[in-house]
Amino acid sequence: MEKKILIDMKQIVKRYHENEPNELEILHGIDLQVREGEFVAIVGESGSGKSTLMNMIGALDRPTEGSYFLDGEDMGKIPDTKLSEIRNQKIGFVFQNFCLIPRTSAVRNVEVPMMYAGVPRKERRKRAMELLEMVGMTERATHKPNELSGGQNQRVAIARAMVNNPSIILADEPTGALDSQTGHLVMDIFHKLHKEQHKTIVLITHSRELAKETERIITIQDGNIISDSDMGGEV
């Protein structure tokens, strides 16, 4: 049975400063579909439009033209007030710079999305500790970000991304701030999530080497998708 489409983008255009002299079109009619359980890399150089596309996928910004259905919901019809709720429930974000709360322990950082979702405190702590165990961070649960290495912080960030059991994990250059050995350890966690929990993962990267670890490589250049290949998966 064919798996359902989680990300369905048709003719996505993004312009900034519209109808002004300095109008700038970044995305020029993107068509993109990602099915449940896929591990996809979106690859592009700096300035290719990949960050803008990531913002569209993550519902952090709205397209100027085109349609976007996320897990069956028409994002064009979702009011701004509901967008943060959709992001919290449907998407687990992992960023290059971790985006952890500085003076807060690892376990509390992991709990944050559940607080917004109204999960009771006892349940939050239990779930957060389970996820820290999954990423090998149980013994560092009470440590703050400045007491952890870059790789440890990224593992905490991955645990946090998983707490509300999102439909999609959206990882933006997740190994960009790490040395290559630590980067491999972080990628191992993504592979584990994909294989064991069948998570849908969209990896945004400039590194074709990293992209080769995924099942499918989508290349973006000058605001257009120039190739979409199932030649990845060289794990």
Side-chain angles (χ1 to χ4, degrees):
M1 193 175 80
E2 204 167 38
K3 293 192 172 176
K4 73 173 178 177
I5 296 168
L6 285 182
I7 294 169
D8 190 5
M9 294 183 145
K10 289 190 173 71
Q11 288 298 297
I12 295 290
V13 172
K14 181 62 183 179
R15 295 188 200 97
Y16 294 100
H17 314 295
E18 202 172 14
N19 300 320
E20 294 176 23
N22 58 339
E23 179 177 296
L24 185 62
E25 187 170 292
I26 305 292
L27 301 178
H28 312 303
I30 296 281
D31 290 324
L32 175 63
Q33 288 188 334
V34 176
R35 292 185 183 276
E36 193 173 42
E38 279 195 278
F39 192 171
V40 179
I42 296 175
V43 190
E45 299 298 323
S46 181
S48 61
K50 68 180 187 299
S51 295
T52 303
L53 180 57
M54 188 211 76
N55 288 339
M56 301 294 129
I57 294 170
L60 295 165
D61 199 359
R62 293 183 184 271
T64 309
E65 294 173 19
S67 67
Y68 176 28
F69 284 80
L70 173 63
D71 200 8
E73 286 194 84
D74 185 348
M75 300 307 286
K77 293 182 177 171
I78 303 284
D80 288 347
T81 48
K82 188 139 188 282
L83 272 184
S84 59
E85 192 182 314
I86 295 273
R87 287 193 297 267
N88 191 36
Q89 295 299 317
K90 302 267 187 192
I91 303 168
F93 291 94
V94 180
F95 297 103
Q96 177 175 342
N97 59 353
F98 324 128
C99 293
L100 299 174
I101 302 166
R103 287 178 290 279
T104 305
S105 67
V107 68
R108 290 279 291 166
N109 264 290
V110 174
E111 284 182 30
V112 168
M114 291 186 284
M115 291 167 70
Y116 288 115
V119 176
R121 185 174 178 173
K122 193 174 173 184
E123 196 181 321
R124 286 202 312 259
R125 183 55 53 101
K126 181 173 179 285
R127 172 89 173 135
M129 288 305 296
E130 283 170 359
L131 285 161
L132 285 173
E133 184 180 4
M134 181 197 76
V135 298
M137 287 293 291
T138 307
E139 291 176 8
R140 296 280 189 272
T142 58
H143 289 57
K144 297 180 178 68
N146 67 347
E147 299 167 329
L148 300 172
S149 69
Q152 289 170 335
N153 276 318
Q154 196 59 294
R155 282 191 266 168
V156 173
I158 292 169
R160 180 188 57 189
M162 290 292 295
V163 290
N164 288 332
N165 196 24
S167 305
I168 298 160
I169 295 174
L170 190 55
D172 181 23
E173 300 280 10
T175 65
L178 309 175
D179 63 70
S180 60
Q181 188 180 355
T182 310
H184 284 305
L185 292 174
V186 166
M187 284 303 291
D188 286 344
I189 295 172
F190 286 123
H191 289 304
K192 188 177 176 184
L193 290 173
H194 178 239
K195 284 176 180 169
E196 294 178 11
Q197 299 192 27
H198 311 293
K199 281 291 167 193
T200 308
I201 302 172
V202 178
L203 174 76
I204 315 290
T205 182
H206 69 277
S207 166
R208 193 153 286 277
E209 201 63 36
L210 204 64
K212 284 179 182 175
E213 290 198 33
T214 69
E215 298 176 324
R216 177 182 166 202
I217 300 175
I218 295 160
T219 306
I220 184 168
Q221 184 180 305
D222 299 328
N224 294 294
I225 288 175
I226 59 166
S227 71
D228 186 345
S229 152
D230 288 329
M231 298 299 286
E234 296 174 16
V235 181

